[in-house]
Amino acid sequence: MSDEMTLYLQVWRQKDSKSKGGFQNYKVENVSGDMSFLEMLDMLNENLAREGKDPIQYDHDCREGICGACSCMINGEAHGPGKKTTTCEMHMRHFNDGDAIIIEPWRAKAFPVLKDLAVDRSAYDKIIMAGGFIEVKYGNAPEANSMMVGKEVADFAMDNAACIGCGACAAACPNASAMLFTAAKTTQLSLLPQGKVESKKRVQSMIKKMDELGFGNCTNERLCEAACPKGISIISIARMNREYMGTLLKSDY
Amino acid sequence: MSWVSSYFASSVGKKSVMALTGLSLVGFLVVHLVGNINMLIGSDAFNHYSHFLLSFEGIYVLEAVLAALFLLHAFFGLMIAFQNSQARPDSYSVQTKSGRGTTFASSTMPYTGTIILIFLILHLFDLKFGEHYSVPNEEGVRDIYKLVLVYFSKPLHVAWYIIAMISLAIHTSHGFWSAFQTLGFSHPKYDGFLRKSSIAYAVLVGAGFSFFAIWAYLQHGGNV
């Protein structure tokens, strides 16, 4: 762990969604171990801007691991080598002086590259729009304890609600499948009283939308849960499968 | 599209077909393996066992069900593999083995599956529809025992058989657990048990079937 590192980056540059992209080599000097990965890219971009070159476009927003914007593949791993970390939370101290780092955008048919590292993740929004919400009107907050929810159930729903829709699951999946995302977004609602009401309709329409958008079929390779910055488990996928298979014979009504 | 057809066209629907047919075939392999034990008892036991199966009236129904299971599994499997290759038109330049998630078995399912499919066709061709030996003094009883010993007297046949059984073991080491996961049986309470069972099952069928091929080879065609 050295405080002043020199890194050799290979970054995917692509003009727009229609152009063919390719890797460009960049040398970044004076990288501090306390910088985040995005700060390192900012430094590179400032240098590029100073030289009159086109800065690297990448998505970012909150820079504290809750918005899910900072999507990129770092040395073949979604959000880089850290467990349960987003790119913005990744510190440069995980790298060594002289390291070569290859940075690519998410690659999936459903996530087209817009420019450089920025991809269009609106496919995930479309899955949410297909039913990832509660339509029934519940009125004001109910009397405390009038709706009983077990602690473990509430915890599990909360674990799934931690999903930030960053796209790492589909990006890391060898089949570019969005099952972990869809599982998290159905599970967070289906387990709780308010969401349970429409659970069958919801799981049907969300899976239908997921398939339509061109995501692949899950083959239980588990790379999604390894890549998930929020540590959501494939147990949620099994739960969603159970719910979906149940709809073959039963409806909400 | 009706609900039933759209169910089977959906990703989860297709996977549930894979899981159900896969688990049924897992069951079939156990029956097949247990049946093979008759071979060790002797030619009479093995031939009478196979004659009992062949002369059973409902055998065609069972064979048709078995064929349907294999065909559905292969058809849906190839369809899923094809669709998945379409889901990522541009592949990543770097693929790191992080040691998390994917295993050799899980990433090679379409390939090991194809080897098993080719093996299965040859297996039926060479044995079930192979040379017809008759048991002397027993009308209409096929001498399957002799057929097996003659077939496996060739080292090339034994080698190919073992390659196919290694593929089968790799395939089922992921497939067994994966089927339960797809069907929604996944819970921290028993996930570890299912994972270990999957490996144990793979070793059992892989080593079990290979054992019979090697044993048959060592009988030198029954001419010793």
Side-chain angles (χ1 to χ4, degrees):
Chain A
M1 187 178 100
S2 123
D3 242 23
E4 294 290 293
M5 291 183 282
T6 301
L7 297 167
Y8 299 89
L9 307 187
Q10 262 185 287
V11 185
W12 184 264
R13 301 303 306 262
Q14 188 170 331
K15 206 164 149 247
D16 52 47
S17 54
K18 289 187 185 74
S19 314
K20 221 172 120 62
F23 283 104
Q24 282 269 340
N25 293 323
Y26 300 98
K27 187 177 168 188
V28 199
E29 287 168 319
N30 305 323
V31 176
S32 153
D34 295 335
M35 279 181 177
S36 77
F37 201 85
L38 296 186
E39 282 167 336
M40 184 274 296
L41 285 179
D42 288 337
M43 200 164 80
L44 171 60
N45 272 347
E46 275 168 31
N47 292 341
L48 289 175
R50 231 173 273 136
E51 291 165 25
K53 289 178 186 158
D54 189 23
I56 299 160
Q57 181 149 346
Y58 63 90
D59 273 337
H60 64 101
D61 192 11
C62 74
R63 300 210 177 202
E64 54 180 20
I66 57 166
C67 78
C70 53
S71 54
C72 65
M73 223 54 180
I74 302 165
N75 285 341
E77 288 189 83
H79 295 299
K83 271 188 188 174
K84 293 193 196 178
T85 30
T86 51
T87 308
C88 63
E89 293 175 309
M90 259 264 305
H91 282 92
M92 294 314 293
R93 63 179 78 101
H94 293 289
F95 297 91
N96 298 309
D97 189 31
D99 272 1
I101 305 175
I102 298 169
I103 313 169
E104 287 181 83
W106 288 167
R107 294 191 195 280
K109 192 180 162 195
F111 289 157
V113 175
L114 296 173
K115 188 175 191 303
D116 302 338
L117 302 175
V119 300
D120 180 4
R121 289 180 296 115
S122 58
Y124 269 13
D125 299 333
K126 287 173 191 153
I127 295 175
I128 296 288
M129 282 155 71
F133 45 81
I134 294 171
E135 259 180 324
V136 286
K137 295 210 168 22
Y138 267 86
N140 293 329
E143 184 76 12
N145 300 330
S146 63
M147 275 196 259
M148 300 298 223
V149 181
K151 170 83 169 88
E152 294 84 354
V153 178
D155 285 350
F156 191 58
M158 191 59 217
D159 289 347
N160 283 277
C163 171
I164 53 175
C166 63
C169 44
C173 175
N175 313 314
S177 165
M179 285 286 274
L180 191 65
F181 171 77
T182 313
K185 294 299 180 191
T186 52
T187 302
Q188 64 174 358
L189 299 176
S190 291
L191 291 178
L192 299 177
Q194 293 90 337
K196 208 172 258 174
V197 183
E198 299 159 295
S199 61
K200 292 199 174 61
K201 189 177 100 181
R202 178 182 306 117
V203 76
Q204 283 179 29
S205 50
M206 285 177 79
I207 286 183
K208 186 164 175 253
K209 182 52 82 181
M210 175 188 84
D211 290 343
E212 276 171 15
L213 290 165
F215 289 107
N217 305 291
C218 173
T219 59
N220 302 328
E221 299 235 35
R222 317 189 70 187
L223 277 167
C224 53
E225 68 173 7
C228 180
K230 299 297 153 189
I232 296 167
S233 152
I234 59 165
I235 288 171
S236 301
I237 296 181
R239 196 215 61 83
M240 177 175 72
N241 286 356
R242 231 164 29 229
E243 191 167 64
Y244 187 73
M245 281 182 268
T247 64
L248 188 57
L249 300 173
K250 286 197 295 185
S251 286
D252 280 322
Y253 50 87
Chain B
M1 209 167 10
S2 83
W3 168 237
V4 174
S5 53
S6 72
Y7 173 85
F8 288 108
S10 74
S11 57
V12 180
K14 278 178 289 197
K15 286 291 296 169
S16 64
V17 171
M18 288 303 283
L20 286 173
T21 52
L23 277 186
S24 308
L25 295 172
V26 156
F28 162 73
L29 287 178
V30 173
V31 175
H32 192 323
L33 189 64
V34 171
N36 282 7
I37 295 170
N38 284 302
M39 213 184 290
L40 302 178
I41 300 170
S43 62
D44 278 354
F46 193 55
N47 287 334
H48 287 150
Y49 169 68
S50 77
H51 185 71
F52 161 73
L53 289 182
L54 289 172
S55 57
F56 173 60
E57 278 174 17
I59 191 70
Y60 293 109
V61 179
L62 293 180
E63 280 180 341
V65 170
L66 191 58
L69 290 175
F70 272 110
L71 291 174
L72 277 173
H73 194 75
F75 175 75
F76 274 81
L78 290 170
M79 181 162 67
I80 285 170
F82 174 73
Q83 287 172 343
N84 286 351
S85 70
Q86 305 282 302
R88 178 167 293 134
D90 304 310
S91 57
Y92 289 107
S93 310
V94 194
Q95 268 150 344
T96 319
K97 289 268 172 280
S98 63
R100 292 185 274 160
T102 191
T103 60
F104 176 73
S106 71
S107 58
T108 55
M109 291 302 270
Y111 311 112
T112 47
T114 306
I115 294 173
I116 296 163
L117 181 64
I118 296 167
F119 164 79
L120 190 70
I121 295 165
L122 293 175
H123 189 65
L124 288 177
F125 190 74
D126 289 335
L127 295 168
K128 183 168 171 58
F129 302 109
E131 198 72 39
H132 203 292
Y133 300 110
S134 295
V135 175
N137 311 326
E138 280 191 83
E139 189 99 5
V141 178
R142 202 177 159 191
D143 197 345
I144 295 282
Y145 185 79
K146 185 179 174 188
L147 177 65
V148 168
L149 296 197
V150 169
Y151 180 78
F152 285 111
S153 63
K154 294 194 178 67
L156 201 66
H157 288 167
V158 179
W160 161 239
Y161 190 88
I162 290 173
I163 289 170
M165 287 311 110
I166 291 170
S167 304
L168 179 67
I170 295 169
H171 195 80
T172 52
S173 73
H174 174 69
F176 185 99
W177 164 79
S178 182
F180 284 100
Q181 163 71 21
T182 298
L183 293 175
F185 293 96
S186 177
H187 196 280
K189 277 194 274 193
Y190 55 74
D191 192 55
F193 171 73
L194 281 181
R195 242 164 236 288
K196 286 189 195 110
S197 306
S198 195
I199 305 285
Y201 176 84
V203 171
L204 177 77
V205 291
F209 282 112
S210 299
F211 164 78
F212 286 109
I214 295 164
W215 176 85
Y217 172 71
L218 295 175
Q219 307 308 305
H220 304 284
N223 296 328
V224 181

